């Protein structure tokens, strides 16, 4: 009987842990989009004022960010300085592959950024960055809409799923 009770508690905790993991991923998505908006703002200012070359620009952006996006922009600066890829799109895709655990929404928006960087004149790049910023803001607004309710639901559903499994097994 004690083993069944210990197993039941472990199943409920595992379900709850899964719910909390989904909630944490939701927060990471929001954080990633906020970081990209910050990066795009910085990039726009640098391009308008100094017309900074892309490798240096990415290194400067990396200094402004934290976490996985800091690493991404460092990898992107390295890819640009190596000049092994034919265009910025390939450099961004390579940096995304090297970096790894970037949240899904952030990954999609960074990939879009690679399609405009270095491809157009200054105004074209600024317009592309502005479009990416707007997409990030739209995605962020969608994630933040009823965020507290959604996160609480994820956590509750995790525990309820664990409890349902316990009931089925006992």
């Amino acid at each position: 009987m004690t083993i069944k009770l210990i197993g039941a508690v472990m199943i409920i905790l595992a379900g709850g842990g899964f719910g909390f993991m989904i909630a944490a991923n939701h927060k990471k998505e929001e954080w990633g989009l906020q970081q990209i908006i910050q990066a795009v703002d910085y990039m726009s200012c640098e391009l308008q004022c100094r017309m900074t070359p892309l490798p240096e620009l990415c290194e400067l952006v990396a200094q402004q960010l934290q976490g996985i996006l800091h690493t991404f922009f460092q990898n992107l600066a390295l890819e640009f300085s190596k000049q092994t890829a034919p265009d910025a799109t390939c450099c961004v895709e390579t940096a995304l592959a090297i970096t790894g655990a970037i949240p899904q929404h952030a990954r999609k928006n960074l990939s879009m950024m690679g399609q405009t960087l270095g491809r157009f004149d200054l105004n074209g790049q600024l317009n592309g960055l502005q479009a990416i910023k707007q997409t990030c803001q739209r995605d962020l607004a969608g994630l933040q809409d009823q965020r507290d309710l959604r996160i609480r639901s994820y956590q509750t559903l995790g525990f309820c799923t664990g409890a349902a499994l316990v009931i089925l097994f006992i």
Side-chain angles (χ1 to χ4, degrees):
M1 184 66 184
T2 308
I3 293 176
K4 283 186 180 182
L5 185 60
I6 292 171
V9 169
M10 290 178 71
I11 290 173
I12 291 173
L13 290 177
F18 186 72
F20 277 90
M21 184 183 71
I22 292 173
N25 284 339
H26 185 84
K27 291 177 183 177
K28 280 183 185 176
E29 289 280 352
E30 287 183 17
W31 181 80
L33 290 172
Q34 290 168 344
Q35 290 275 299
I36 292 175
I37 291 169
Q38 179 184 348
V40 166
D41 284 341
Y42 187 83
M43 291 173 91
S44 296
C45 291
E46 277 290 324
L47 286 173
Q48 283 177 336
C49 296
R50 294 184 25 201
M51 292 180 56
T52 309
L54 287 177
E56 183 182 341
L57 178 63
C58 291
E59 191 61 43
L60 290 171
V61 169
Q63 293 172 6
Q64 302 298 314
L65 302 177
Q66 303 169 2
I68 195 72
L69 289 177
H70 168 80
T71 306
F72 166 76
F73 278 101
Q74 280 185 326
N75 290 337
L76 185 57
L78 184 63
E79 287 299 316
F80 280 138
S81 33
K82 284 197 288 188
Q83 296 183 352
T84 55
D87 60 0
T89 305
C90 294
C91 289
V92 168
E93 294 302 324
T94 303
L96 283 171
I98 292 171
T99 306
I102 296 175
Q104 180 183 4
H105 286 90
R107 180 177 290 277
K108 177 188 67 147
N109 288 308
L110 289 171
S111 185
M112 282 177 27
M113 183 181 68
Q115 296 170 2
T116 61
L117 283 179
R119 181 170 289 188
F120 303 110
D121 64 349
L122 178 62
N123 287 332
Q125 288 185 54
L126 292 174
N127 289 338
L129 288 173
Q130 194 62 26
I132 292 163
K133 181 180 176 181
Q134 289 172 351
T135 304
C136 286
Q137 288 172 332
R138 185 194 67 223
D139 291 346
L140 184 61
L143 287 173
Q144 288 177 336
D145 184 41
Q146 298 181 348
R147 168 183 28 152
D148 294 334
L149 177 64
R150 191 177 302 141
I151 288 176
R152 197 170 36 249
S153 295
Y154 292 151
Q155 294 166 343
T156 303
L157 282 173
F159 281 115
C160 290
T161 302
L165 285 172
V166 167
I167 290 170
L168 285 174
F169 290 142
I170 292 181

